[in-house]
Amino acid sequence: FWKAAFDGCTALLLLVLAFYIPFSIAFLDVGDFIWFDWYQLVWFSVDIILSFCSPYENEEGWVTNPKWIAAEYFQCFFWVDTISTFPFALVLGASGGASPLT
C-alpha cells in the first residue's frame, strides 16, 4: 500500500513540475522557491533508493530477490532516473540570477 501511495504522490509531483518548470524558467529568479527544488531533488532521490527495494512482477510471478531487483532496475529505469534527478544547476554553479545554461 505504501508504494502505491508514494507512486501517487510522485505522479502528483510530476504534474506540478510540468507547470512549475516552464513558469520558473520564464518568470522566477534562480533563488526563488529554492526549497521546492531541494524538495523535488530529495523526493526523486528517495524514489531511486526505494526502486532497489521494490519487488516487480514478471511472467513467472513476483520477483523479491534483491539482486534480481537491482539488476532489472539497472537495465531499465536506473539511468533515466539518475540523469533526470541529477542536480545539474548545483554542479554547474547556477547563481545570482544567471542560468547555468547561458
Side-chain angles (χ1 to χ4, degrees), residues 18 33-34 41 46 56 59 67 75 81 83 85 88:
F33 294 103
I34 193 73
L41 175 68
V46 168
Y56 66 93
E59 53 277 339
K67 290 181 183 179
Q75 289 179 356
D81 289 348
I83 290 170
T85 304
F88 288 102

Side-chain angles (χ1 to χ4, degrees), residues 16-92:
V16 170
L17 285 172
F19 292 99
Y20 169 75
I21 291 172
F23 181 82
S24 67
I25 290 171
F27 301 110
L28 299 178
D29 289 330
V30 172
D32 296 344
F33 294 103
I34 193 73
W35 61 270
F36 186 72
D37 296 335
W38 279 103
Y39 176 80
Q40 61 94 15
L41 175 68
V42 169
W43 185 273
F44 289 116
S45 298
V46 168
D47 183 50
I48 290 173
I49 294 167
L50 290 178
S51 293
F52 280 107
C53 307
S54 301
Y56 66 93
E57 189 174 13
N58 64 13
E59 53 277 339
E60 298 173 7
W62 286 96
V63 177
T64 57
N65 184 322
K67 290 181 183 179
W68 293 351
I69 292 170
E72 179 71 18
Y73 186 49
F74 273 120
Q75 289 179 356
C76 294
F77 291 107
F78 175 76
W79 304 109
V80 173
D81 289 348
T82 301
I83 290 170
S84 63
T85 304
F86 189 78
F88 288 102
L90 292 175
V91 173
L92 295 176

Side-chain angles (χ1 to χ4, degrees), residues 5-22:
F6 186 84
D7 288 343
C9 291
T10 300
L12 241 127
L13 180 58
L14 286 170
L15 183 64
V16 170
L17 285 172
F19 292 99
Y20 169 75
I21 291 172

